[in-house]
Amino acid sequence: MDFAALELTLRLASLTTLLLLLLATPLAVWIASGRGAARRVAQAAVALPLVLPPTVLGFYLLVGLGPATALGRTLIALLGHPVAFTFSGLLIGSMIYSLPFAVQPLVVAFSSIDRPTVEVAQVLGAGPWTVFRRVTLPLSRASFITAAVLCFAHTVGEFGVVLMVGGDIPGVTRTLSIAIFDQVQELRYTDANLTAAALAGLSFLALLVVYGRGNRRAELA
Amino acid sequence: MPQLPRFRLRLNARVGALLLDLDLALISRWTVIFGPSGSGKSTILRAVCGLVPQAPRVGILSRRLAHRKGGGAPEEWDQPHHRMAPHLRGLAYAPQGAVLFPHMSVRENISFPSAVRRGAAFQQPSDRQTGSGAELVEEAIRCFQLEALLGRRPGDLSGGESQRVSLARAFAVPHPRLILLDEPFTGIDRALRDALLPRMQQRAAQLGAPVLSVTHDVEEALMLGAEVIRLEQGRILDQGPASRVLAEERARMLQMLL
């Protein structure tokens, strides 16, 4: 069992989930708040990582974050080193890769909140922030948990993006899914089996959390 | 009893198929908008709340001067062409069909208006007269006999119970400038309605806010002895004391009894 890879995977997945929820919440609020063309374009763009091969995403990230683009050069100037093949690069890649899993449940949650409920809260004196904190957020709690678990599990399971952007540097960018690949390449089947079992268990547990909550949501409504 | 402010609403907007064109004065403690469904009654209340995007500039002219920030100058809202966000309008509102917050208990629902106002910005000198947020909540709970339901969630309430909670929540708004009630007695039986009406009148007077309610129930309008505005197709047909404006309906009801 590659414990460095396990630690790295959990750290990457937790950080990705945390940052992604912070980013996805305002994005989902905006998408759910209207019907304009810009929102539809944003929604399509957010869903893109669902259908693109991870290698395509990884390739663009590798090029985009490198010295070939203005964004890449700015990042290099800011950080003092290229982000590709580092943990930060991995984090950026993971966030983009798991973005739809954070945004979609929140968009569904926010747009299913009854319009009159929000309106009466406003008239009774709640400003936009108060409405969000006291009405929108508690009514979409279940979806936040779903989004968090899905992001975490999806990040744990990613392979293509990590390999492209991160390379395979032990302790820095070698996650569990890549460790398995290496172990199989080196014909270490026992180790690969252990790692694979750990991943399968972790993912199943995460999904159990999501579906185990299904009944409770019905209770709340 | 505090001096009653006078309001005048001006509204000119097309909402769906309805063309609303009104200029009405609230000169009584309780004004009832009476009219058939689809006549634009609820839309008027929603427009006053600032919830009708087609009618952002509902002019509300109040003769009362503002307490806010030093007092003296009329509130911004008093200027007819100012678009003010709903939460700044200082309204008490019970919408049609009792829209409660499903994730809050009955008590939390009723406390919502004072809870969201917690903070120095909303403390006003008249607090001594109308009571603090907590007292307002207790008073509203008593007024609508909700003591036994406080721990329940809206999902476990009957239609009439929900309606009472919605009304209590409106009457627990601190310093309302105007109390707006949309079909306030839906699902509430007559006996209870007859008991609640005088209490609500009294409570509104204590709060110093005029009431504008919407109904299609003749009895309700007659019982209140309110000023009645008869509305049809978005236009005012008549305005005056209930006994005069609804004389025809009243005669018909009496005839049915004889």
Side-chain angles (χ1 to χ4, degrees):
Chain A
M1 187 76 182
D2 188 342
F3 283 101
L6 177 66
E7 188 268 341
L8 183 79
T9 305
L10 294 179
R11 187 153 55 97
L12 179 68
S14 319
L15 260 175
T16 303
T17 306
L18 187 75
L19 293 176
L20 210 45
L21 285 184
L22 290 177
L23 181 83
T25 305
L27 189 61
V29 167
W30 177 69
I31 290 175
S33 68
R35 244 181 291 275
R39 289 181 172 84
R40 298 290 83 92
V41 171
Q43 216 173 0
V46 165
L48 207 54
L50 278 178
V51 293
L52 275 185
T55 40
V56 172
L57 207 63
F59 172 72
Y60 279 128
L61 277 170
L62 202 56
V63 176
L65 299 178
T69 65
L71 174 71
R73 282 193 294 275
T74 316
L75 274 174
I76 290 167
L78 280 174
L79 296 170
H81 60 82
V83 284
F85 310 120
T86 65
F87 184 75
S88 338
L90 217 56
L91 194 58
I92 295 172
S94 300
M95 282 175 66
I96 294 174
Y97 186 52
S98 294
L99 189 64
F101 292 86
V103 175
Q104 297 296 4
L106 297 186
V107 169
V108 172
F110 294 157
S111 39
S112 67
I113 287 175
D114 207 24
R115 187 74 211 146
T117 308
V118 172
E119 286 178 347
V120 75
Q122 287 173 340
V123 177
L124 293 176
W129 171 241
T130 312
V131 170
F132 183 72
R133 201 167 51 86
R134 287 185 181 259
V135 179
T136 313
L137 215 53
L139 284 178
S140 26
R141 208 174 59 119
S143 296
F144 269 94
I145 293 171
T146 304
V149 174
L150 287 179
C151 279
F152 189 90
H154 193 236
T155 307
V156 167
E158 71 181 306
F159 179 79
V161 178
V162 175
L163 194 60
M164 292 289 283
V165 180
D168 179 10
I169 307 166
V172 183
T173 60
R174 180 186 287 173
T175 60
L176 275 186
S177 57
I178 298 196
I180 296 180
F181 185 71
D182 290 341
Q183 285 157 354
V184 173
Q185 295 269 298
E186 292 156 19
L187 301 176
R188 288 157 51 205
Y189 288 123
T190 318
D191 288 336
N193 188 12
L194 254 170
T195 315
L199 265 179
L202 207 60
S203 307
F204 184 69
L205 212 67
L207 292 174
L208 206 59
V209 170
V210 173
Y211 290 110
R213 294 190 50 83
N215 312 330
R216 294 208 33 197
R217 205 179 316 170
E219 237 171 70
L220 197 105
Chain B
M1 232 170 250
Q3 176 68 41
L4 198 75
R6 292 177 157 219
F7 288 96
R8 191 172 161 196
L9 315 181
R10 271 192 198 149
L11 177 57
N12 191 324
R14 175 170 284 284
V15 182
L18 196 69
L19 182 69
L20 284 164
D21 182 12
L22 359 130
D23 184 348
L24 57 91
L26 304 187
I27 50 168
S28 165
R29 289 193 181 279
W30 197 308
T31 307
V32 173
I33 302 177
F34 179 86
S37 32
S39 57
K41 302 186 300 278
S42 295
T43 311
I44 294 174
L45 295 199
R46 288 174 50 80
V48 174
C49 292
L51 298 175
V52 180
Q54 298 92 327
R57 301 190 303 188
V58 181
I60 303 212
L61 303 156
S62 152
R63 297 231 182 110
R64 182 165 63 175
L65 298 182
H67 300 290
R68 206 184 289 202
K69 279 178 194 159
E75 288 183 43
E76 281 177 287
W77 189 35
D78 295 340
Q79 292 158 22
H81 296 301
H82 189 84
R83 181 174 184 168
M84 196 179 214
H87 68 283
L88 299 174
R89 295 185 179 211
L91 297 169
Y93 178 46
Q96 198 170 14
V99 180
L100 301 178
F101 305 120
H103 57 296
M104 296 183 198
S105 69
V106 167
R107 179 183 278 284
E108 286 167 332
N109 264 282
I110 299 170
S111 310
F112 184 84
S114 35
V116 297
R117 280 172 175 77
R118 221 164 274 151
F122 287 96
Q123 295 299 320
Q124 294 187 1
S126 57
D127 263 346
R128 280 182 306 265
Q129 291 164 22
T130 52
S132 65
E135 279 173 46
L136 270 171
V137 171
E138 297 313 317
E139 195 65 46
I141 290 168
R142 261 199 301 279
C143 183
F144 293 94
Q145 302 171 348
L146 294 167
E147 291 88 347
L149 305 175
L150 293 176
R152 296 235 214 128
R153 296 268 165 152
D156 301 325
L157 299 177
S158 74
E161 287 169 341
S162 301
Q163 190 63 38
R164 269 152 63 204
V165 175
S166 169
L167 290 172
R169 188 177 57 185
F171 277 86
V173 171
H175 316 292
R177 301 185 64 211
L178 189 61
I179 300 174
L180 302 167
L181 309 174
D182 198 340
E183 303 279 6
F185 299 106
T186 311
I188 294 180
D189 62 72
R190 283 170 179 221
L192 186 57
R193 178 197 70 185
D194 295 354
L196 288 177
L197 266 177
R199 270 189 259 165
M200 285 162 70
Q201 274 178 310
Q202 192 193 353
R203 194 67 199 126
Q206 282 168 356
L207 291 168
V211 178
L212 177 61
S213 77
V214 151
T215 191
H216 56 248
D217 180 2
V218 183
E219 260 182 69
E220 187 184 319
L222 287 169
M223 271 191 67
L224 281 161
E227 177 88 355
V228 172
I229 292 167
R230 187 189 270 269
L231 196 74
E232 209 154 292
Q233 296 286 318
R235 273 164 215 283
I236 298 173
L237 288 187
D238 199 1
Q239 173 166 5
S243 50
R244 184 179 66 74
V245 177
L246 299 174
E248 213 176 286
E249 278 82 359
R250 187 161 168 258
R252 198 185 310 142
M253 277 170 65
L254 286 170
Q255 217 165 19
M256 270 166 28
L257 287 171
L258 292 172

